Amino acid sequence: MYILYKTMSTFITAFTLSALNVGDYVVAAGGSYNGNITCKKVAQDSVNTYLGFVQYASPANSTVTVQLMGAMDQTKTGLIVGAWYYADPSNPGGVTSTMPTGTMVIQVVGKAVYSNVIDTSLGYLIEGTGGGGGSPT
């Protein structure tokens, strides 16, 4: 049994132009459709504002439920407990426990507190050059 110490979650309904899978990490795509913000999955970069994780699979041109950053995300499996997770620069919509390298702004998604839960309230941005191999403290 999991006991989550942060229980408040904020969900939004967004519109997506492309198909999304459960657990995809999405960004605000700009604009809106029928009153819903549009979202998309992209690789890690310095331009996009991350929203959170997709809660249910959704086909293209439809609405999707997104759990905003700042909550406990339970859409992943096989996480390394205690590891930090980052937006993946090579897998749009994915996360990785390997800190990205390069000159992009690095999105720290959060820390795995269980093998299927990321605490996204611990997420933040690292500006400048990615160091690789390190972890937030």
Side-chain angles (χ1 to χ4, degrees):
M1 179 171 85
Y2 295 123
I3 299 173
L4 302 179
Y5 56 91
K6 295 179 183 172
T7 58
M8 293 183 62
S9 296
T10 302
F11 297 92
I12 64 165
T13 299
F15 184 80
T16 179
L17 296 173
S18 61
L20 297 172
N21 298 310
V22 173
D24 280 348
Y25 193 45
V26 294
V27 301
S32 64
Y33 181 81
N34 286 340
N36 295 315
I37 188 170
T38 57
C39 69
K40 64 182 179 180
K41 61 181 179 179
V42 297
Q44 165 75 52
D45 63 30
S46 61
V47 178
N48 292 287
T49 303
Y50 288 87
L51 286 177
F53 291 98
V54 171
Q55 297 300 297
Y56 307 100
S58 178
N61 299 311
S62 64
T63 57
V64 62
T65 301
V66 177
Q67 181 178 16
L68 299 177
M69 295 294 293
M72 298 293 223
D73 176 68
Q74 300 181 55
T75 61
K76 303 284 181 234
T77 59
L79 300 173
I80 302 166
V81 176
W84 289 95
Y85 281 83
Y86 310 88
D88 193 332
S90 60
N91 179 19
V95 297
T96 179
S97 60
T98 302
M99 179 185 268
T101 60
T103 58
M104 70 193 81
V105 174
I106 297 170
Q107 173 71 50
V108 180
V109 175
K111 191 173 190 177
V113 293
Y114 296 103
S115 63
N116 67 332
V117 179
I118 295 178
D119 183 352
T120 65
S121 70
L122 302 173
Y124 60 94
L125 294 175
I126 300 173
E127 294 186 36
T129 303
S135 294
T137 55

